[in-house]
Amino acid sequence: MHVSTDADDLRALLAGPPITYYCGFDPTAPSLHLGNLVQLLLMRRLQLAGHRPLGLVGGSTGLIGDPRPTAERTLNTRETVAEWVGYLQAQVSKFLSFEGENAARLVNNLDWTAPLSAIDFLRDIGKHFRVGTMLKKDAVSARLNSDEGISYTEFSYQILQGLDFRQLYLDYGCVLQTGGSDQWGNLTSGVDLVRRAEGASVHAIGTPLITNSDGRKFGKSEGNAVWLDESLTSPYAMYQFWLNTDDADVVDRLKVFTFLSRAEIEALARLVADEPYRRTAQRTLALEVTTLVHGRGPALAAIAAADALFGQGELAELSAETLASAIRSLPSIVAPGSLTVAQALVETELVASLGEARRAIAQGGVYLNNVKVGDDEVTVGAHALPGGFAILRRGKKTLAGVTIS
RNA sequence: GGCAAGUUACCCAAGCGGCCAAAGGGAUCUGACUGUAAAUCAGACGUUUUCAACUUCGGGGGUUCGAAUCCCUCACUUGCCA
């Protein structure tokens, strides 16, 4: 937690009696992803500290789209956005408690934005915004300086988000907004609006962007986002993602993504230094985060599956039951035994095309039941495992299951 | 509204009539080495059953034996002028 509007003021506020705070999530996809997890956990930490969370899902801001530095967004239909709002609300709810003194509350900015007429918007809200200030926001100026430009729609985004803060201030006495530092311009837009329109001083916390030590983007596995929805990213995949965390990053991740105590994290940090090959820190991290997102049961199942599938042992020696449960945590298909490995790779989406499947096999990167596949004529039924299963592997750690019909 | 420049594969970016499925870089994938790590080295990277064929260079139309490359037109973007 780095940036803030008035650090001392805020510190005093957080140490005092419970305050109400909010954090918003825009429905730009059917699920939140790991990047959002930072925010969800921050909300949870603040709630644990006794403060009252407002979880906002942006039914209206999602229709507009906040300006990305690179390119204009494609608008989604109202129906799609409304559907996604539902999904995100469910996800946000999982991280908050709706019981007790400081019970959380879900809000949707469409509720107060939709009834607003263009005239009211321009007269009541627009007057508080200076174009010069708006132009200086990083998100906007980056786009203005690019050859992409920016539409009026996205330019206006910051006003809508500012409007949210004011509304929540008025309705719930909300005095703090949290968000990623890439949202800083939008956060301050709300702080400014509340000061101008209501003469009140409210705060914003921006969390630093999570980056990998090698400069690659955090939260992407094989170039794809790691989603919180288990149908988009399985608990198994989630566990694997964290297990593969760099030594250089793992301690930092533990601090941000787990609720372990300082002492526990320091102990793990020593283990990284002393016996990195055990990857105790990575295992702990993977278990902790997978549990936070999916719950204890699925997290343990992911570990069991990994042990079964990754172990040096013979897959054929595993029981049909173990295999069945391991396969449940993998992307899998049901197919006849006569299906070739190459086709199976395509159907399980381990590769994008048949050509790519052949290439992978030719490169020696494909395994059927832990045995390297020599040519693309091999069928998945060739060496079926107990229970009529087959495990496909691409490279070292991308797996899929086949149930032979 | 006028003038100019631009729109190339996941991203950036060359190419300006045949030698272009299209240079280069990044991202990604695979192999070797390892700890299911990093770094490094090697290979792959439009689709399909191959050295063979097919579909691509903003959309549509045209010139040509032949076009990503020339012409027309539409759309979008940027800059300057109004």
Side-chain angles (χ1 to χ4, degrees):
Chain A
M1 299 163 211
H2 282 152
V3 266
S4 152
T5 33
D6 182 335
D8 293 333
D9 228 26
L10 179 61
R11 201 168 293 130
L13 197 66
L14 286 174
I19 60 160
T20 300
Y21 63 97
Y22 99 94
C23 179
F25 303 90
D26 274 358
T28 52
S31 168
L32 295 173
H33 52 80
L34 283 187
N36 300 310
L37 187 57
V38 183
Q39 301 310 320
L40 289 167
L41 295 179
L42 174 57
M43 288 191 88
R44 176 142 156 185
R45 286 177 204 281
L46 287 171
Q47 185 173 32
L48 288 172
H51 302 294
R52 269 188 307 276
L54 295 173
L56 181 149
V57 175
S60 66
T61 35
L63 290 169
I64 301 306
D66 76 315
R68 284 183 295 194
T70 46
E72 189 83 8
R73 289 177 188 273
T74 1
L75 294 177
N76 296 305
T77 65
R78 287 163 190 269
E79 292 73 31
T80 305
V81 172
E83 192 181 338
W84 289 349
V85 166
Y87 298 154
L88 297 207
Q89 284 179 330
Q91 287 185 334
V92 171
S93 305
K94 285 173 66 177
F95 290 85
L96 299 172
S97 161
F98 291 82
E99 317 265 305
E101 291 279 297
N102 58 339
R105 177 188 285 268
L106 288 181
V107 292
N108 182 346
N109 53 18
L110 194 60
D111 294 345
W112 55 84
T113 314
L116 198 60
S117 78
I119 297 298
D120 289 342
F121 174 75
L122 291 174
R123 286 180 63 94
D124 300 342
I125 311 299
K127 272 288 188 186
H128 295 295
F129 285 86
R130 303 272 91 195
V131 170
T133 315
M134 293 174 69
L135 287 173
K136 278 191 220 130
K137 308 267 169 164
D138 282 352
V140 173
S141 71
R143 284 280 293 282
L144 282 173
N145 292 328
S146 77
D147 52 10
E148 179 79 11
I150 185 169
S151 67
Y152 184 71
T153 305
E154 291 193 2
F155 175 62
S156 317
Y157 180 91
Q158 50 180 302
I159 298 187
L160 281 187
Q161 190 163 327
L163 184 55
D164 290 344
F165 203 166
R166 188 187 76 143
Q167 194 67 38
L168 295 174
Y169 170 77
L170 293 175
D171 290 351
Y172 304 106
C174 177
V175 290
L176 170 68
Q177 180 182 190
T178 65
S181 59
D182 57 328
Q183 289 291 311
W184 189 240
N186 294 325
L187 302 187
T188 53
S189 147
V191 173
D192 289 345
L193 178 62
V194 174
R195 194 185 54 245
R196 285 163 183 272
E198 312 302 331
S201 159
V202 293
H203 302 271
I205 290 178
T207 58
L209 224 54
I210 309 286
T211 51
N212 285 339
S213 55
D214 58 10
R216 279 193 316 223
K217 221 175 199 171
F218 166 78
K220 302 272 163 123
S221 165
E222 294 175 22
N224 298 312
V226 177
W227 303 102
L228 301 189
D229 185 319
E230 64 177 13
S231 64
L232 296 174
T233 300
S234 69
Y236 172 82
M238 168 77 64
Y239 182 85
Q240 288 294 315
F241 173 82
W242 292 103
L243 186 63
N244 282 307
T245 305
D246 261 45
D247 290 359
D249 294 323
V250 68
V251 174
D252 188 53
R253 297 289 177 275
L254 284 165
K255 289 178 189 162
V256 176
F257 290 100
T258 73
F259 287 85
L260 297 178
S261 70
R262 190 164 298 198
E264 288 170 304
I265 291 174
E266 277 168 13
L268 287 168
R270 274 195 298 280
L271 289 177
V272 174
D274 296 345
E275 38 180 38
Y277 53 91
R278 287 189 195 278
R279 293 183 303 146
T280 313
Q282 278 90 342
R283 287 178 205 282
T284 310
L285 175 68
L287 173 62
E288 289 292 322
V289 182
T290 310
T291 302
L292 276 172
V293 176
H294 295 297
R296 195 84 184 166
L300 293 177
I303 294 177
D307 285 348
L309 300 171
F310 257 104
Q312 319 311 351
E314 287 295 318
L315 282 173
E317 286 169 12
L318 296 171
S319 72
E321 201 173 309
T322 310
L323 281 169
S325 95
I327 284 180
R328 265 199 297 281
S329 54
L330 298 176
S332 67
I333 57 166
V334 176
S338 58
L339 193 72
T340 66
V341 166
Q343 288 167 317
L345 285 169
V346 176
E347 292 203 20
T348 53
E349 295 179 349
L350 249 38
V351 298
S353 68
L354 261 184
E356 194 177 325
R358 287 199 194 84
R359 216 179 293 134
I361 292 171
Q363 289 179 142
V366 175
Y367 300 78
L368 175 64
N369 303 326
N370 275 352
V371 178
K372 186 176 286 192
V373 174
D375 68 278
D376 26 292
E377 294 310 309
V378 178
T379 59
V380 292
H383 311 284
L385 297 170
F389 297 112
I391 304 288
L392 277 174
R393 189 171 106 222
R394 184 193 186 195
K396 284 176 190 157
K397 49 201 176 194
T398 317
L399 295 151
V402 179
T403 304
I404 294 162
S405 60

